[in-house]
Amino acid sequence: MKPTDEATTAIAVALNEWFGSAARELPWRAPDVTPWAILVSEFMLQQTQVERVLPRWVAWMERWPTPSALAADEPGEAVRAWDRLGYPRRALWLHRAAVEIAERHGNAVPSGVDELLALTGIGPYTARAVAAFAYGERHPVVDTNTRRVIARLVHGRAAAGMPAPVDLTNMEALLPESPRAAAVFNAAAMELGATVCTARAPRCDVCPVAAWCEWRGAGYPDNAPEKRPRQAKFAGSDRQVRGRVMALLRRSTGAVKIATALEAAAVGGVRDPEQPQRAVDSLIVDGLVVELDGQVRLP
């Protein structure tokens, strides 16, 4: 059920007021934070928990406070500093984006969604997030937490289904008209899903918008969609084997023999004997590893 205009306004006011007092104090939310710092946080936060991102983000910003600072360093240093955040291609893409920002935009992160989308590694979500959070532009920003909040609050469902274009339409319908209030609302909806309206243990007793929640009003029905996003198992996966190779190269000051990399990939066991070689080959294809004369190293 679509909320009335009055309900939509009341929801936005209640959620934004709650966010003002209950939001976690995250460094990329500081009032004086730069657009570059927000861009870095968005890269790091993709499919990664805030607690894991915090120390890496702080170290990253101390070392590379501007796009040009990162661009001047080797891509392999970005991959090394990424440490164990996972999906290390994000580090490589962030380095390429830094080069593009330094060369094309005078070392300033662009504010337009189309300009942001033209940068390496930036998709529709990140482009809208940077435009909204760094520049206060009015765009719907929807992540997994936001989708769950909308599913329960507006549609009376226990969980969200698979991501779809309608997610943006749903969020757009809830956004305040004021760009500033809309940016806060985007962040507040994410925060609500992350800390209160959680997947397994929602704390409805402290939810600022519980009075308008269709799922709560219906008595918390067990009506989650059958098709929902599911994280593939990490243990035994190619991702885990690739991670062993990356860990070895991050610890190494130079190149290592391919045989050594293959041995590192197999430590802890593999699903099939082809996994170590497949891991090394895929890392080379992704540009995360460079092969030369029977050795491999970070780019």
Side-chain angles (χ1 to χ4, degrees):
M1 180 184 300
K2 182 182 182 298
T4 64
D5 290 343
E6 293 79 6
T8 298
T9 299
I11 287 169
V13 170
L15 190 54
N16 283 9
E17 287 183 352
W18 168 83
F19 184 74
S21 60
R24 292 167 292 178
E25 292 185 7
L26 303 176
W28 46 84
R29 288 176 175 168
D32 59 346
V33 75
T34 66
W36 167 244
I38 291 174
L39 177 63
V40 171
S41 75
E42 291 298 337
F43 264 81
M44 290 185 170
L45 286 165
Q46 294 169 21
Q47 302 183 58
T48 308
Q49 296 173 332
V50 167
E51 292 74 17
R52 294 181 60 204
V53 167
L54 276 168
R56 295 274 64 80
W57 183 89
V58 171
W60 191 285
M61 295 310 303
E62 288 176 351
R63 183 172 180 180
W64 298 304
T66 64
S68 59
L70 177 58
D73 226 331
E74 293 293 327
E77 287 304 301
V79 175
R80 195 188 310 277
W82 198 257
D83 199 26
R84 300 181 64 185
L85 281 182
Y87 303 98
R89 275 178 291 182
R90 290 181 292 169
L92 205 58
W93 293 338
L94 183 51
H95 183 276
R96 291 175 186 168
V99 172
E100 293 161 356
I101 293 168
E103 294 180 348
R104 302 178 193 171
H105 300 284
N107 207 34
V109 174
S111 61
V113 168
D114 289 341
E115 291 177 304
L116 287 161
L117 284 170
L119 299 174
T120 297
I122 294 187
Y125 166 81
T126 303
R128 290 191 300 270
V130 172
F133 301 143
Y135 293 105
E137 294 192 1
R138 188 182 182 279
H139 297 286
V141 183
V142 178
D143 72 348
T144 299
N145 290 313
T146 302
R147 293 176 60 250
R148 182 170 57 256
V149 167
I150 292 176
R152 291 171 175 171
L153 176 66
V154 177
H155 302 295
R157 294 197 300 264
M162 300 298 289
V166 72
D167 295 334
L168 292 177
T169 303
N170 289 334
M171 188 60 171
E172 173 70 33
L174 294 173
L175 281 185
E177 287 301 320
S178 161
R180 179 179 177 83
V184 174
F185 187 83
N186 277 313
M190 293 180 187
E191 186 77 353
L192 187 72
T195 63
V196 174
C197 192
T198 58
R200 296 183 179 179
R203 299 187 296 134
C204 301
D205 57 318
V206 296
C207 177
V209 293
W212 299 276
C213 180
E214 292 290 331
W215 186 54
R216 176 175 178 267
Y220 309 108
D222 183 11
N223 59 356
E226 292 184 5
K227 290 186 177 181
R228 287 182 284 166
R230 294 189 182 277
Q231 180 86 15
K233 289 184 178 180
F234 179 71
S237 66
D238 282 9
R239 274 186 59 217
Q240 184 181 43
V241 178
R242 281 164 54 103
R244 294 168 185 163
V245 177
M246 294 302 296
L248 169 68
L249 296 181
R250 284 196 303 269
R251 296 192 302 267
S252 305
T253 56
V256 302
K257 294 180 180 179
I258 291 181
T260 303
L262 294 174
E263 290 174 1
V267 171
V270 292
R271 285 179 177 172
D272 66 75
E274 301 298 324
Q275 261 190 311
Q277 187 65 59
R278 188 164 64 239
V280 172
D281 290 345
S282 66
L283 289 169
I284 292 171
V285 170
D286 289 344
L288 288 164
V289 169
V290 176
E291 179 186 9
L292 183 64
D293 297 331
Q295 296 182 313
V296 288
R297 61 173 176 80
L298 293 179

